[in-house]
Amino acid sequence: MADATMQHDPLAGLNERQREAVTAIDGPVLVIAGAGSGKTRVLTERIAHLLRDHGVAPWEILAFTFTNKAAREMKARLERSCPGALEALWVGTFHATGVRILRRHGGASGVGRDFSIYDADDSLGVVKQILSDHVMDAQVARSPRALRDRISRYKNDLVTPEQVLESARNRIDEKIALLYREYERTLRRNNALDFDDLIARVVELFATSDEARAAYARRFHYILVDEFQDTNPIQMAMIDGLSSHHRNLFVVGDDDQSIYSWRGARVRHILEFEDLYAGTRVIRLEQNYRSTQTILDAANQVIAHNVGRKGKNLWTDGERGERIGLIASMDEEGEAVNVLQVVRELVEGGVKLRDIAVLYRTNAQSRSLEDVLKMGSLPYQIVGGVRFYERTEVRDVLAYCKVLVNPADSVNLRRIINVPRRGIGKATAERLEALAAEKGTTVIDLVRAGAPEITGAAATRLAEFARLYAELERFAAQHVAPQVVERIVEATAYMRHLKEHTADHESRVENVEEFISAAHAFAESAEDKSLRAFLEEVALVADIDAVDLESGQLTLMTLHNAKGLEFDAVIVTGLEEGLLPHYNSIDDAEAVEEERRLFYVGMTRAREHLYLSWANMRRRLGQIEGGIPSRFLHEVPDACLAHPLGSMVRATSGGRGMLDFGGDEPAAQVHPDYESMSQEVGAAGATPRAAGASGTAPSYRVGMRIRHRSYGGGVVRRVEGSGEHTRVTVIFDSGGERKFLAQFAPMRPTR
DNA sequence: TGGTAGAGGCTTTTT
DNA sequence: GCCTCTACCA
């Protein structure tokens, strides 16, 4: 063991508190880990310490992370510090771990081992199907989405349909309880589990079979939980079922970073952990290794406005650092242009593009940023928004896969039975479903059996579909995931369907191709290359899992997605009343505190440079609304700001125009003199500012020949807008057509 | 049964 | 402002 320690000492380079956390082996431990205090490191080193210095076997350890990405990274780090034998170590999200347990315990969870995993969209399909099959109160049926969310909340709070029914106070509540019950039945009939079930069924399994529970509790001697502040009751029940026996439960979290209460997470779990687990050792990590003192001071001051917290104060040995920049803009487009300008200045100042993040409260805010970025030449990646696997064309192909793996899946069968169109209309589909219900069989079995009740033209078409399905089924039985996916696309002539029936078929075809590539990529790395395994991976991936922070691109994402990440420079945008804090939270003191935590999470992502941005006007749902600078801005001490907030607010409140910051200033500073800034504002319409200090952008005319740094020569086809909003559409000699923002595009006229 | 146009909802955040 | 669903007609 001495040798092992020589190779890698898990305790080297840790501070006293971190060391204490790593070496507190037995019994419950609660680590309150402030932002940037090295909690990931503590978690990994603790596992390494258990493995190397305490003779713990890898299969005795179970660690829960918040994302698959975090799990992957933790495993990679461990592979470096203690190579080998990590196969047996369980590190994953609650959902992924739930699936692992449920696949092993097949029937115990009320579904077969080959169950489908329903995502939010599938669940919504179930709710809609129930609403259309059963005549429901108009009031109940109004919002299927809200109903689905409500069912999800019930499940996360361990509330059964029966309990909802008992506590129902009116007819509507009763109807909802019945709908919830029917939803659960439908899922079982379809041999499907939704996201919440992946954890709920494990809890149920533990409750009904003490044998199963004890087997896991005995196996996993050491349980670790990351991001503990974001666990919800059902996850807590799972943790408790696994650890109540030996009580070797190590949880790490930060009550100030609890931002998932809407998903049922309870800060209570961290605040009351000591009461739940008697004899808990509490360790606080408050030394921050990430941010400058200025950023920490600002974040500390902001979060101090919250009442419901344990209280902590982050400090650092490091530099005071530069002050926080403010970006005030006229509207969201101006904000986007200013943000791009600041990014350019940062890059000129030596910050790498991949170390810069632009954060926002809602996905919708990414649009204006993206519009501007598209026309510039900065490579960027957007995390989230319309998710890849939620696109119609991808879901269609996915639905074929799901039905092939689990033929009882009537929701997805309904999706594909007439896609591409094959003349099996709504009437026939509903007839089949009614027949199946009547006979106590499944739709697919009726299709396979040829359903004698269906006659005429519909019968012929149904027979054709049955033939197609049988062929795919035969093929799927003998081939791996990528081959099956390709076969589906081919046999259904899906690409032709896209070309004939959709307007934007080019990008749709690309998406389907990307889906096929994803299947190939999966098959290259996965051990189990089956379609079922592929579907499982697809179901559990989150957008953030795919983010490549090494890719050299600027990253745009929501504040929620930024949790756990860090960047040299962070720009938090949309700091306006109504956006941050959001409208839906503004009237509720507790909800506002969560919004403040969200802001706090955003601020503490930054290592050196932090910018806060707001706009005076913003389009929301097609309406233009006035933006009042967020109350949170006023909570940042003036001493931390590069400019007094008051002057910046006054400068923009008249709505005179977009503020422009001088390109000659060092990266961290906004324009030093707001008076001169205002003058520039007045002139902004006439003379666009070029990026950096290179003077004004060239003026473009239609027909002019240009040369672009990346795309080469081309001809100007259109010129729109004026001043810094000027957009130029260029047809390149290489064939492509592109649109640029004149002031930023690296191109010039050639004659 | 399939195509189209208009209405209506949505957007807070996601495993 | 955009997407999805519904109603109605061919």
Side-chain angles (χ1 to χ4, degrees):
Chain A
M1 203 174 85
D3 274 2
T5 315
M6 296 264 289
Q7 272 171 32
H8 174 88
D9 179 3
L11 302 181
L14 294 176
N15 71 32
E16 204 177 313
R17 287 288 146 72
Q18 291 174 327
R19 197 174 288 233
E20 191 187 343
V22 167
T23 55
I25 297 306
D26 293 314
V29 181
L30 166 65
V31 179
I32 305 280
S37 63
K39 79 181 162 71
T40 311
R41 182 133 187 250
V42 164
L43 273 167
T44 346
E45 299 298 359
R46 180 185 169 84
I47 294 176
H49 180 62
L50 285 170
L51 293 172
R52 311 193 74 121
D53 305 333
H54 286 269
V56 175
W59 39 267
E60 292 175 316
I61 299 173
L62 171 60
F64 290 107
T65 57
F66 196 71
T67 61
N68 297 301
K69 186 167 179 262
R72 224 172 27 229
E73 283 167 3
M74 191 179 289
K75 274 207 148 181
R77 282 193 193 204
L78 281 166
E79 189 61 50
R80 260 173 273 144
S81 61
C82 7
L86 291 183
E87 299 270 301
L89 185 78
W90 280 33
V91 182
T93 62
F94 280 97
H95 294 88
T97 305
V99 171
R100 248 174 131 166
I101 293 176
L102 292 173
R103 290 278 186 224
R104 291 167 170 232
H105 283 268
S109 56
V111 288
R113 293 171 135 247
D114 52 354
F115 58 83
S116 295
I117 298 170
Y118 274 9
D119 58 25
D121 217 62
D122 293 320
S123 297
L124 190 63
V126 174
V127 171
K128 283 180 182 167
Q129 208 171 330
I130 296 170
L131 288 174
S132 73
D133 289 354
H134 304 254
V135 184
M136 283 273 176
D137 284 39
Q139 242 177 311
V140 178
R142 202 166 28 114
S143 171
R145 231 166 264 265
L147 287 168
R148 177 201 58 192
D149 292 347
R150 191 147 158 188
I151 290 172
S152 175
R153 278 300 282 272
Y154 285 138
K155 292 173 102 163
N156 281 304
D157 283 345
L158 298 148
V159 177
T160 64
E162 288 65 36
Q163 287 168 320
V164 177
L165 198 56
E166 274 166 33
S167 61
R169 269 176 297 171
N170 52 46
R171 277 186 58 84
I172 308 246
D173 286 352
E174 267 172 42
K175 291 273 185 187
I176 289 172
L178 294 175
L179 178 113
Y180 177 17
R181 191 168 69 190
E182 191 53 35
Y183 173 90
E184 295 287 83
R185 284 181 183 159
T186 307
L187 252 60
R188 281 181 190 236
R189 226 180 10 247
N190 288 357
N191 193 25
L193 298 179
D194 65 17
F195 270 132
D196 306 317
D197 283 330
L198 299 180
I199 300 161
R201 295 284 177 239
V202 173
V203 171
E204 196 179 284
L205 172 72
F206 288 172
T208 51
S209 160
D210 203 54
E211 202 181 319
R213 191 193 63 79
Y216 284 101
R218 261 199 305 276
R219 170 176 170 172
F220 296 117
H221 276 274
Y222 296 94
I223 315 271
L224 299 89
V225 186
D226 193 10
E227 306 283 7
F228 186 66
Q229 75 281 357
D230 288 321
T231 53
N232 61 35
I234 197 94
Q235 292 166 338
M236 198 59 204
M238 182 163 162
I239 296 169
D240 199 61
L242 288 163
S243 64
S244 58
H245 167 67
H246 49 67
R247 300 187 357 119
N248 291 329
L249 177 59
F250 181 89
V251 303
V252 186
D254 179 2
D255 49 315
D256 288 333
Q257 293 187 63
S258 164
I259 54 175
Y260 281 91
S261 73
W262 50 273
R263 212 165 82 181
R266 301 289 151 80
V267 205
R268 196 155 43 76
H269 292 153
I270 200 166
L271 299 178
E272 297 169 6
F273 188 81
E274 296 164 72
D275 305 329
L276 243 56
Y277 291 87
T280 293
R281 207 156 146 188
V282 182
I283 299 165
R284 311 174 70 86
L285 305 179
E286 291 180 312
Q287 182 173 5
N288 175 292
Y289 295 94
R290 180 185 298 155
S291 311
T292 62
Q293 188 65 58
T294 300
I295 292 170
L296 291 183
D297 283 350
N300 281 335
Q301 286 284 327
V302 167
I303 202 65
H305 285 80
N306 275 2
V307 180
R309 63 191 288 252
K310 281 209 154 189
K312 75 168 90 56
N313 219 26
L314 296 178
W315 58 278
T316 176
D317 268 347
E319 305 269 308
R320 175 137 289 280
E322 68 191 22
R323 293 199 275 189
I324 298 167
L326 295 176
I327 304 174
S329 313
M330 177 76 178
D331 53 21
E332 74 264 27
E333 197 185 349
E335 181 179 52
V337 171
N338 283 333
V339 164
L340 178 58
Q341 174 71 8
V342 167
V343 169
R344 285 185 175 277
E345 283 168 14
L346 283 164
V347 171
E348 277 165 27
V351 181
K352 290 209 179 75
L353 205 53
R354 69 165 192 214
D355 291 323
I356 306 175
V358 180
L359 308 180
Y360 37 79
R361 175 69 231 266
T362 67
N363 281 306
Q365 287 167 256
S366 68
R367 176 165 286 141
S368 51
L369 290 162
E370 192 173 14
D371 283 348
V372 170
L373 283 168
K374 256 186 210 155
M375 291 180 272
S377 55
L378 289 182
Y380 63 94
Q381 57 181 339
I382 294 187
V383 183
V386 185
R387 288 172 193 78
F388 179 69
Y389 291 110
E390 282 173 19
R391 290 168 201 271
T392 312
E393 59 277 15
V394 176
R395 289 199 70 87
D396 283 344
V397 181
L398 208 47
Y400 274 93
C401 299
K402 286 187 178 181
V403 174
L404 285 171
V405 169
N406 172 24
D409 184 346
S410 66
V411 172
N412 280 297
L413 178 59
R414 189 174 204 173
R415 185 177 183 107
I416 59 168
I417 200 161
N418 198 32
V419 174
R421 304 235 162 88
R422 49 176 73 92
I424 304 174
K426 206 175 154 197
T428 312
E430 276 173 5
R431 182 89 203 282
L432 281 169
E433 272 157 25
L435 275 170
E438 216 172 276
K439 295 185 167 182
T441 175
T442 58
V443 174
I444 198 74
D445 280 336
L446 283 180
V447 172
R448 285 196 271 227
E453 292 84 352
I454 309 279
T455 52
T460 326
R461 286 157 186 164
L462 209 55
E464 264 169 56
F465 176 67
R467 217 174 303 131
L468 169 79
Y469 184 79
E471 194 241 299
L472 286 174
E473 205 168 31
R474 263 196 310 278
F475 189 88
Q478 301 159 11
H479 294 84
V480 295
Q483 294 173 313
V484 181
V485 174
E486 275 174 2
R487 186 83 199 114
I488 289 168
V489 174
E490 209 178 284
T492 58
Y494 190 73
M495 298 301 200
R496 198 179 68 203
H497 159 75
L498 287 179
K499 281 172 194 151
E500 286 170 6
H501 295 279
T502 59
D504 49 346
H505 59 258
E506 274 169 29
S507 69
R508 287 173 191 265
V509 167
E510 267 172 39
N511 286 331
V512 173
E513 280 165 357
E514 197 177 326
F515 181 61
I516 294 172
S517 315
H520 279 285
F522 167 80
E524 272 160 34
S525 63
E527 213 165 289
D528 179 354
K529 305 180 195 305
S530 70
L531 188 60
R532 201 202 71 186
F534 176 57
L535 288 182
E536 195 165 297
E537 168 153 311
V538 165
L540 296 177
V541 293
D543 291 301
I544 193 73
D545 295 332
V547 175
D548 183 3
L549 295 179
E550 311 293 304
S551 69
Q553 305 178 82
L554 173 69
T555 307
L556 279 67
M557 69 184 126
T558 62
L559 288 159
H560 281 91
N561 265 320
K563 189 174 79 159
L565 305 177
E566 57 179 275
F567 300 88
D568 282 349
V570 168
I571 306 171
V572 182
T573 64
L575 275 158
E576 294 137 47
E577 288 291 301
L579 260 186
L580 188 65
H582 196 270
Y583 295 100
N584 299 359
S585 305
I586 229 156
D587 299 325
D588 176 347
E590 268 184 50
V592 169
E593 294 212 344
E594 179 145 322
E595 298 285 309
R596 187 177 284 110
R597 289 194 290 268
L598 204 45
F599 179 42
Y600 175 79
V601 166
M603 296 174 85
T604 53
R605 296 311 93 198
R607 293 192 198 105
E608 287 173 43
H609 315 276
L610 177 62
Y611 290 85
L612 307 176
S613 166
W614 73 93
N616 238 353
M617 279 186 301
R618 195 175 289 274
R619 219 174 270 278
R620 202 179 86 94
L621 271 64
Q623 301 287 311
I624 289 173
E625 291 180 11
I628 301 166
S630 167
R631 67 189 75 183
F632 300 149
L633 277 171
H634 296 278
E635 294 168 5
V636 179
D638 261 349
C640 297
L641 296 175
H643 278 259
L645 179 65
S647 66
M648 293 288 286
V649 171
R650 259 179 279 123
T652 50
S653 58
R656 273 175 295 188
M658 191 191 312
L659 291 176
D660 191 358
F661 305 123
D664 297 327
E665 297 300 322
Q669 289 174 25
V670 295
H671 201 291
D673 176 2
Y674 114 76
E675 279 306 320
S676 74
M677 210 152 48
S678 299
Q679 281 159 18
E680 280 176 27
V681 168
T687 321
R689 280 190 76 88
S694 57
T696 56
S699 52
Y700 295 100
R701 289 186 318 274
V702 175
M704 186 182 260
R705 273 209 67 83
I706 59 95
R707 174 152 292 277
H708 187 281
R709 198 171 63 202
S710 329
Y711 300 108
V715 178
V716 175
R717 203 187 131 202
R718 273 184 87 179
V719 179
E720 297 160 274
S722 62
E724 40 189 281
H725 295 293
T726 307
R727 292 162 203 197
V728 183
T729 308
V730 178
I731 300 178
F732 287 102
D733 303 339
S734 50
E737 180 181 309
R738 271 176 190 273
K739 212 173 187 185
F740 303 97
L741 207 57
Q743 65 171 332
F744 294 132
M747 67 181 183
R748 58 190 162 74
T750 47
R751 71 172 130 87

